[in-house]
Amino acid sequence: MTDEAPELRASDADRERVAEILRDALAEGRLDMAEFEERLEATYQARTYGELAPLTRDLPATGAPAVSLAKPPADEGRWAGRFVGGEGTSTWAVAVMSGFQRKGRWTVPRRFTCLAFMGGGEIDLREANFADREVEISCFAVMGGVSVIVPPGVEVVMRGIGVMGGFDHYEEETLPDPGAPRVIVTGLAFWGGVEVQHKATKAERRRLKEERRQTRHELQEARHEWREQRRTERHHRRHDND
């Protein structure tokens, strides 16, 4: 495994290849059970190649291919099919002492403008398509609030102003996905608030939960195999001594 492009996102297949190397290392006695458990858990939690690389750096890659970090940075990956062009499903929204929502399978235009006056609005991009790789959302919240929800991996740029109000971005600690859209949020919050948060869909949360369940299952299986191996070794030693 090389150190090229460590910031690129790792795929499920990449994590599985690293897990296979770790299983082989445990079976060959290169790792003890505590080291195996620690590295396997880190494998399934890793989000980038840079986090995966150290986990097998001191191990041979026999029995499983090494993870290649030589993917082109321009690879759009899972985002490729979400840039659809066109004018967008909706270009504006207004809530005056009421509310509005844009969510589900809609197309975000290159520029979307919204106003919340003594009301609230929600702009959910988690299942949306995009008219362009870079879109701008202008939010004006006057004694009201607007919430923008983006999926993990999307780059967000905040350029809004809060006057006796807030213009907040709850940032991710990880780098944006290669090929992900760039969302620029501008506007004004006057006695109100505009917030942007990264949040996975229910389907994505279920997938992550299943990954954690699978990790626990694999750890239990590995412990069982390790105990059986130790039991067999002790039996052979006693037989040899007799």
Side-chain angles (χ1 to χ4, degrees), residues 41-82:
E41 183 175 359
T43 296
Y44 286 108
Q45 292 178 349
R47 303 186 70 176
T48 65
Y49 289 135
E51 293 171 351
L52 282 177
L55 300 175
T56 58
R57 184 168 289 150
D58 58 347
L59 299 173
T62 54
V67 175
S68 172
L69 305 188
K71 294 185 178 180
D75 180 20
E76 293 180 351
R78 64 190 180 97
W79 297 102
R82 296 178 68 171

Side-chain angles (χ1 to χ4, degrees), residues 136-141 156-163 165-169 183-190 193-196:
E136 181 176 334
I137 300 177
S138 297
C139 302
F140 299 91
V156 175
V157 178
M158 297 290 282
R159 296 177 181 168
I161 300 173
V163 179
F167 221 94
D168 302 314
H169 177 205
V183 178
I184 301 173
V185 182
T186 65
L188 171 69
F190 178 72
V194 175
E195 67 171 17
V196 179

Side-chain angles (χ1 to χ4, degrees), residues 122-158:
E122 179 182 86
I123 304 170
D124 191 336
L125 310 184
R126 289 177 292 179
E127 297 180 5
N129 293 321
F130 297 84
D132 201 352
R133 186 181 301 276
E134 181 175 288
V135 298
E136 181 176 334
I137 300 177
S138 297
C139 302
F140 299 91
V142 181
M143 294 181 286
V146 177
S147 175
V148 181
I149 304 172
V150 300
V154 168
E155 180 185 2
V156 175
V157 178
M158 297 290 282

Side-chain angles (χ1 to χ4, degrees), residues 1 18 63 81 83 142 151 191 201 204 208-209 228 232-233 239:
M1 184 182 296
V18 171
F83 299 112
V142 181
W191 280 13
T201 62
E204 179 69 9
L208 293 174
K209 183 178 180 180
E228 288 296 317
T232 301
E233 290 174 354
H239 180 75

Side-chain angles (χ1 to χ4, degrees), residues 16 19 63-64 89 107 130 153 163 169 176 192 216:
E16 284 302 325
T89 305
T107 299
F130 297 84
V163 179
H169 177 205
R216 290 194 296 269

